[in-house]
Tab-separated table of all heavy atoms in Angstrom:
chain	number	residue	atom	x	y	z
A	48	GLU	N	-0.032	6.580	-8.015
A	48	GLU	CA	-0.209	5.700	-9.170
A	48	GLU	C	-0.763	6.505	-10.328
A	48	GLU	O	-1.758	7.219	-10.176
A	48	GLU	CB	-1.236	4.611	-8.844
A	48	GLU	CG	-0.744	3.575	-7.878
A	48	GLU	CD	-1.880	2.675	-7.477
A	48	GLU	OE1	-2.506	2.083	-8.368
A	48	GLU	OE2	-2.159	2.594	-6.285
A	50	ARG	N	-2.622	5.780	-12.666
A	50	ARG	CA	-4.046	5.528	-12.944
A	50	ARG	C	-4.908	6.666	-12.415
A	50	ARG	O	-5.796	7.171	-13.106
A	50	ARG	CB	-4.464	4.185	-12.319
A	50	ARG	CG	-5.968	4.013	-12.044
A	50	ARG	CD	-6.779	3.826	-13.324
A	50	ARG	NE	-8.077	4.469	-13.251
A	50	ARG	CZ	-9.211	3.884	-12.895
A	50	ARG	NH1	-9.211	2.632	-12.578
A	50	ARG	NH2	-10.347	4.552	-12.872
A	51	TRP	N	-4.679	7.079	-11.171
A	51	TRP	CA	-5.577	8.047	-10.548
A	51	TRP	C	-5.300	9.458	-11.034
A	51	TRP	O	-6.174	10.330	-10.953
A	51	TRP	CB	-5.524	7.911	-9.018
A	51	TRP	CG	-5.831	6.488	-8.644
A	51	TRP	CD1	-4.973	5.572	-8.112
A	51	TRP	CD2	-7.066	5.790	-8.880
A	51	TRP	NE1	-5.595	4.350	-7.990
A	51	TRP	CE2	-6.874	4.448	-8.449
A	51	TRP	CE3	-8.308	6.157	-9.406
A	51	TRP	CZ2	-7.886	3.492	-8.529
A	51	TRP	CZ3	-9.316	5.193	-9.490
A	51	TRP	CH2	-9.093	3.896	-9.048
A	124	ASP	N	-15.285	3.685	-9.264
A	124	ASP	CA	-14.318	2.656	-9.683
A	124	ASP	C	-14.196	1.508	-8.685
A	124	ASP	O	-14.225	0.357	-9.055
A	124	ASP	CB	-12.930	3.246	-9.976
A	124	ASP	CG	-12.038	2.211	-10.648
A	124	ASP	OD1	-11.472	1.360	-9.947
A	124	ASP	OD2	-11.941	2.241	-11.880
A	125	ARG	N	-13.990	1.815	-7.412
A	125	ARG	CA	-13.914	0.770	-6.382
A	125	ARG	C	-15.176	0.847	-5.530
A	125	ARG	O	-15.538	1.943	-5.065
A	125	ARG	CB	-12.702	0.977	-5.484
A	125	ARG	CG	-11.374	0.868	-6.182
A	125	ARG	CD	-10.262	1.213	-5.212
A	125	ARG	NE	-8.949	1.048	-5.813
A	125	ARG	CZ	-7.822	1.449	-5.232
A	125	ARG	NH1	-7.848	2.025	-4.051
A	125	ARG	NH2	-6.670	1.257	-5.835
A	172	ASP	N	-9.099	-4.078	-1.686
A	172	ASP	CA	-9.807	-3.488	-2.826
A	172	ASP	C	-10.706	-4.564	-3.444
A	172	ASP	O	-10.210	-5.571	-3.958
A	172	ASP	CB	-8.766	-2.989	-3.838
A	172	ASP	CG	-9.386	-2.417	-5.109
A	172	ASP	OD1	-10.629	-2.414	-5.233
A	172	ASP	OD2	-8.612	-1.981	-5.985
A	174	ASN	N	-12.098	-4.666	-6.143
A	174	ASN	CA	-11.777	-4.920	-7.553
A	174	ASN	C	-10.771	-6.054	-7.720
A	174	ASN	O	-10.822	-6.786	-8.715
A	174	ASN	CB	-11.190	-3.655	-8.215
A	174	ASN	CG	-12.251	-2.612	-8.484
A	174	ASN	OD1	-13.435	-2.882	-8.346
A	174	ASN	ND2	-11.817	-1.424	-8.850
A	178	PHE	N	-11.257	-8.793	-10.517
A	178	PHE	CA	-10.266	-9.031	-11.582
A	178	PHE	C	-9.851	-10.504	-11.577
A	178	PHE	O	-9.790	-11.154	-12.617
A	178	PHE	CB	-9.000	-8.173	-11.384
A	178	PHE	CG	-9.236	-6.674	-11.388
A	178	PHE	CD1	-8.433	-5.827	-10.632
A	178	PHE	CD2	-10.239	-6.118	-12.156
A	178	PHE	CE1	-8.634	-4.454	-10.637
A	178	PHE	CE2	-10.451	-4.741	-12.172
A	178	PHE	CZ	-9.649	-3.917	-11.405
A	228	TRP	N	-1.086	-3.621	-4.721
A	228	TRP	CA	-1.012	-2.478	-5.657
A	228	TRP	C	0.281	-1.690	-5.437
A	228	TRP	O	0.302	-0.473	-5.582
A	228	TRP	CB	-2.208	-1.536	-5.520
A	228	TRP	CG	-3.558	-2.078	-5.859
A	228	TRP	CD1	-4.708	-1.876	-5.141
A	228	TRP	CD2	-3.955	-2.851	-7.012
A	228	TRP	NE1	-5.773	-2.486	-5.746
A	228	TRP	CE2	-5.328	-3.102	-6.895
A	228	TRP	CE3	-3.268	-3.359	-8.104
A	228	TRP	CZ2	-6.040	-3.835	-7.839
A	228	TRP	CZ3	-3.977	-4.105	-9.044
A	228	TRP	CH2	-5.348	-4.315	-8.897
A	258	ASN	N	-2.270	-5.173	-12.786
A	258	ASN	CA	-2.346	-3.812	-13.345
A	258	ASN	C	-0.969	-3.416	-13.881
A	258	ASN	O	-0.002	-4.176	-13.781
A	258	ASN	CB	-2.877	-2.799	-12.315
A	258	ASN	CG	-1.855	-2.434	-11.255
A	258	ASN	OD1	-0.904	-3.177	-11.016
A	258	ASN	ND2	-2.052	-1.300	-10.615
A	281	GLN	N	-3.007	-3.535	-16.888
A	281	GLN	CA	-4.303	-2.853	-16.820
A	281	GLN	C	-4.078	-1.383	-16.545
A	281	GLN	O	-3.233	-1.038	-15.713
A	281	GLN	CB	-5.141	-3.443	-15.665
A	281	GLN	CG	-6.383	-2.649	-15.361
A	281	GLN	CD	-7.194	-3.158	-14.191
A	281	GLN	OE1	-8.329	-2.780	-14.052
A	281	GLN	NE2	-6.636	-3.994	-13.337
A	282	ASP	N	-4.819	-0.558	-17.208
A	282	ASP	CA	-4.907	0.903	-16.992
A	282	ASP	C	-4.345	1.742	-18.127
A	282	ASP	O	-4.571	2.947	-18.149
A	282	ASP	CB	-4.216	1.380	-15.695
A	282	ASP	CG	-4.940	0.922	-14.441
A	282	ASP	OD1	-6.168	0.737	-14.517
A	282	ASP	OD2	-4.279	0.728	-13.409
A	302	LYS	N	-8.821	1.296	-19.808
A	302	LYS	CA	-10.051	1.741	-19.153
A	302	LYS	C	-10.161	3.239	-19.452
A	302	LYS	O	-9.350	4.029	-18.953
A	302	LYS	CB	-9.953	1.465	-17.652
A	302	LYS	CG	-9.803	-0.027	-17.363
A	302	LYS	CD	-9.271	-0.301	-15.974
A	302	LYS	CE	-10.346	-0.219	-14.921
A	302	LYS	NZ	-9.859	-0.753	-13.608
B	1	GAL	C1	-8.090	-0.728	-8.923
B	1	GAL	C2	-8.376	-0.016	-10.194
B	1	GAL	C3	-7.325	-0.335	-11.184
B	1	GAL	C4	-5.929	-0.154	-10.629
B	1	GAL	C5	-5.789	-0.529	-9.170
B	1	GAL	C6	-4.589	0.052	-8.485
B	1	GAL	O1	-9.104	-0.544	-8.015
B	1	GAL	O2	-9.631	-0.400	-10.713
B	1	GAL	O3	-7.550	0.421	-12.357
B	1	GAL	O4	-5.423	1.089	-10.855
B	1	GAL	O5	-6.900	-0.219	-8.399
B	1	GAL	O6	-4.788	1.376	-8.165
Side-chain angles (χ1 to χ4, degrees):
E48 288 172 56
R50 158 72 216 265
W51 305 111
D124 190 279
R125 296 175 177 171
D172 177 359
N174 286 350
F178 300 149
W228 296 137
N258 75 339
Q281 170 183 196
D282 291 332
K302 298 162 81 169

